[in-house]
Amino acid sequence: MLFILFMETRTEISSLGEFGLIEHLTKNIEHQNISSVLGVGDDAAVLDHFGKQIVVTTDLLLEGVHFDLAYTPLKHLGYKSVVVNLSDLYAMGATPTQITLSVGISNRFGLEAMDEFYEGVYTACEKYGVDLVGGDTASSQKGFVVSVTAIGEVVADKYIRRSTAQKGDLLCISGDLGAAYIGLLFLEREKKIYLEAPKVQPDLEGESYVVGRLLKPEARKDIIEFLEKETISATSMIDISDGLSSEILHICKQSNLGCVLYEEKIPISENTKNSAFKFKIDPTACALSGGEDYELLFTIAPADYDKLITNEQISVVGYMTEPELGANIITKSNNKHPITAQGWNAITSSH
Ligand code: ADP
Ligand code: MG
């Protein structure tokens, strides 16, 4: 799977033309949402959300900046391009319903490459119940460019902001953190080895968890559904795309509060710990400063604690305090340090 960019057959995209390509890529679309009134094929899509509020988010992904095709299969890239946007919608407490997808097609790509990319896109659309309703297509002189806009709906005024946490609320995290960053370190290392000695096969042994977390992340639809089912209102929420430290500081700053975060409570998988030790880096540092985990960080009122802990996918990692106390982490050795956006260097240097 690694380092295979070009497939054997190659159909020139120019043989279809722009409209032929769009038709080819979108011909099998079947809408899953009644809110998708009109999709691909006109000047714009028409959506009708029947009195619900609409939540919109967009992301731009550039080859060489956000992804490296030397080790990113196009199918995974298509899947991830959709998922990272849906993660933003879930972090607002919204239900995703549509996406638009724009591509700047690299001149190195044939039709087969685009088909593979769209296969990943449609797999994500199906899994998360969203309709692809439009986009734009251009050719790019400088690598592959992907932009996804995702649209979701929320019951009027029930969206969840970053700025509404309350003092005394519990800080919660879904899933586990730090894996995607180790996955990236690992793939970068293998790429370097490959470039120096192309005959050496990449050694993926034992790293499939962390590599999978980087290449094929999931958005936490299940967590939003769980909170709704248990009638737990998150008081604030953000998705963890840039590392836990940075996201916690967003909640603190925007809610005008401080917090206490316990290092020992940060959820980190055993797989991640094992991989981190091989790289001689501290797994906590990866969770705090890594990124691309696409988990949810949120706060709840303490009264909801009993309902919350029935879900093993959620960890309570600390609580919100008055702003004067600042944002702090209590280490495993019981020391207190301010949380900084660059991550907490003391952790890496203490090992
Ligand atoms: P316009 O010139 O009005 O922008 P286009 O020719 O770019 O229209 O697109 C025609 C239709 O195909 C539109 O409905 C547009 O949303 C859709 N479309 C274009 N590119 C893509 C794409 N890459 N993926 C999905 N839909 C697309
Ligand atoms: Mg267009």
Side-chain angles (χ1 to χ4, degrees):
M1 176 186 83
L2 276 171
F3 313 117
I4 302 168
L5 176 55
F6 300 107
M7 275 140 290
E8 296 207 343
T9 22
R10 181 190 158 96
T11 308
E12 290 302 325
I13 288 176
S14 55
S15 69
L16 286 94
E18 184 192 338
F19 300 131
L21 174 66
I22 296 170
E23 153 74 14
H24 172 85
L25 293 175
T26 60
K27 62 177 184 281
N28 293 324
I29 291 178
E30 283 175 26
H31 289 164
Q32 306 175 69
N33 297 284
I34 40 173
S35 51
S36 306
V37 176
L38 186 67
V40 170
D42 215 305
D43 296 313
V46 178
L47 316 177
D48 184 347
H49 283 267
F50 309 102
K52 301 240 176 99
Q53 287 175 341
I54 304 302
V55 183
V56 183
T57 180
T58 194
D59 256 318
L60 179 65
L61 301 173
L62 305 175
E63 182 179 347
V65 179
H66 301 102
F67 56 89
D68 187 332
L69 290 179
Y71 51 73
T72 311
L74 282 165
K75 194 167 147 187
H76 288 65
L77 183 64
Y79 191 88
K80 183 170 176 174
S81 306
V82 177
V83 162
V84 300
N85 278 276
L86 303 187
S87 178
D88 280 319
L89 292 183
Y90 290 122
M92 298 299 290
T95 303
T97 46
Q98 287 87 16
I99 59 162
T100 65
L101 168 64
S102 298
V103 285
I105 302 175
S106 159
N107 49 19
R108 305 190 318 275
F109 280 20
L111 184 64
E112 290 74 14
M114 286 310 291
D115 279 341
E116 197 190 329
F117 177 79
Y118 266 72
E119 203 183 316
V121 167
Y122 286 125
T123 303
C125 285
E126 198 183 322
K127 170 149 189 189
Y128 291 93
V130 300
D131 299 322
L132 174 62
V133 295
D136 203 11
T137 306
S139 56
S140 162
Q141 303 293 328
K142 272 274 176 202
F144 192 37
V145 179
V146 182
S147 175
V148 175
T149 297
I151 295 156
E153 60 183 33
V154 72
V155 174
D157 300 326
K158 291 289 185 202
Y159 53 85
I160 309 167
R161 305 182 60 175
R162 298 175 176 183
S163 58
T164 40
Q166 303 292 312
K167 186 180 133 189
D169 282 353
L170 303 175
L171 258 177
C172 311
I173 295 173
S174 68
D176 60 84
L177 302 180
Y181 180 69
I182 316 258
L184 176 67
L185 291 183
F186 177 75
L187 288 172
E188 287 287 343
R189 187 189 73 185
E190 293 303 306
K191 179 185 171 186
K192 206 162 154 261
I193 294 170
Y194 174 81
L195 291 176
E196 283 161 12
K199 291 220 174 78
V200 179
Q201 283 300 306
D203 176 17
L204 273 161
E205 193 64 31
E207 313 297 342
S208 58
Y209 181 73
V210 294
V211 168
R213 290 279 287 165
L214 177 77
L215 295 182
K216 194 170 176 286
E218 300 291 351
R220 295 315 299 253
K221 179 185 186 182
D222 59 322
I223 299 294
I224 299 303
E225 288 172 348
F226 168 78
L227 295 176
E228 195 170 64
K229 185 165 137 272
E230 295 296 324
T231 62
I232 300 170
S233 310
T235 53
S236 69
M237 193 178 280
I238 187 169
D239 77 328
I240 306 177
S241 51
D242 295 335
L244 180 59
S245 300
S246 159
E247 317 301 0
I248 284 192
L249 291 175
H250 282 305
I251 299 249
C252 287
K253 185 158 182 247
Q254 296 193 34
S255 296
N256 189 30
L257 292 172
C259 75
V260 172
L261 166 69
Y262 294 97
E263 182 191 1
E264 64 178 358
K265 305 270 187 204
I266 299 174
I268 297 174
S269 136
E270 283 305 312
N271 289 310
T272 305
K273 287 181 190 164
N274 292 337
S275 302
F277 290 131
K278 281 189 225 164
F279 274 94
K280 299 192 172 49
I281 52 173
D282 191 289
T284 304
C286 299
L288 288 173
S289 324
E292 299 223 71
D293 292 310
Y294 300 105
E295 295 293 344
L296 295 171
L297 171 70
F298 57 98
T299 53
I300 59 156
D304 284 328
Y305 177 77
D306 289 342
K307 286 195 268 181
L308 188 89
I309 53 163
T310 60
N311 190 328
E312 288 178 356
Q313 284 288 310
I314 300 174
S315 308
V316 177
V317 294
Y319 59 92
M320 306 306 292
T321 66
E322 51 249 70
E324 293 73 24
L325 298 179
N328 293 293
I329 181 167
I330 311 291
T331 66
K332 288 176 184 162
S333 47
N334 218 14
N335 293 313
K336 188 168 113 182
H337 294 266
I339 298 171
T340 60
Q342 299 77 34
W344 177 48
N345 296 328
I347 291 179
T348 1
S349 55
S350 73
H351 283 263

